[in-house]
Amino acid sequence: DQQVKQNSPSLSVQEGRISILNCDYTNSMFDYFLWYKKYPAEGPTFLISISSIKDKNEDGRFTVFLNKSAKHLSLHIVPSQPGDSAVYFCAASASNQGGKLIFGQGTELSVKP
Amino acid sequence: NAGVTQTPKFQVLKTGQSMTLQCAQDMNHEYMSWYRQDPGMGLRLIHYSVGAGITDQGEVPNGYNVSRSTTEDFPLRLLSAAPSQTSVYFCASRRHSRSSYEQYFGPGTRLTVT
């Protein structure tokens, strides 16, 4: 039972345009959500997070939106740069379940010059 | 700070062999965890620990053992390796918090079981 789903395995975007990565979850107890970025042969690195008490969090070119009623979150990257090409994982956590992170399958973003 | 370190970077095992994947962190983080990454499956939690002497199972614990005798170290043991355990393994840590669950990951260990 996949509690966190990223239904798009890959996404290709032109440099300078917006990249939108999507994530859906099923567990209504999740109250904290994170996005990680992963380059080949490296460990994932934290990108941005959002608590369930908010519906938007912004950090530079990166914005995460949370729609609790739809159990959906998205990551917007504006403008996209070639260095953003990586695999992006969304993750969710429930504070009453010890804060374990449950990850989605990942979306591979390719930003073309 | 070195952050989260993992050894070895690569390992090839034969079916039935045992080994220990090492993980250490120098950030004095209470929480540590092990994940495996497989194509199309994302990162799946194997075991985790909320502090020295305390461990618990994650999503895919079968075939793996862990212990946490110190805050710094969290080794993952494969008692009898199977081809299904071929994967990339990541260790992660974070400080104890009720409001933030950001974890720091190590560089990974790529394990092949033949």
Side-chain angles (χ1 to χ4, degrees), chain A residues 1-3 31-32 34 36 38 41-46 49 51 87 89 93-106, chain B residues 31 35 37-45 48 50 56-59 88 90 94 98-108 110:
Chain A
D1 178 28
Q2 192 82 24
Q3 298 185 68
D31 54 9
Y32 197 82
L34 308 89
Y36 279 82
K38 186 183 179 305
E42 295 184 9
T45 54
F46 170 74
S49 62
S51 165
V87 177
F89 291 99
S93 182
S95 55
N96 67 351
Q97 294 173 9
K100 296 178 291 185
L101 291 187
I102 305 299
F103 282 83
Q105 305 96 313
Chain B
Y31 186 100
Y35 293 86
Q37 184 193 5
D38 303 292
M41 304 292 288
L43 291 150
R44 292 183 292 170
L45 181 64
Y48 67 100
V50 298
D56 205 347
Q57 297 180 351
E59 302 168 88
V88 182
F90 292 100
R94 66 169 172 85
R98 293 186 178 182
S99 60
S100 172
Y101 302 112
E102 172 191 338
Q103 294 193 37
Y104 297 85
F105 282 81
R110 183 174 292 274

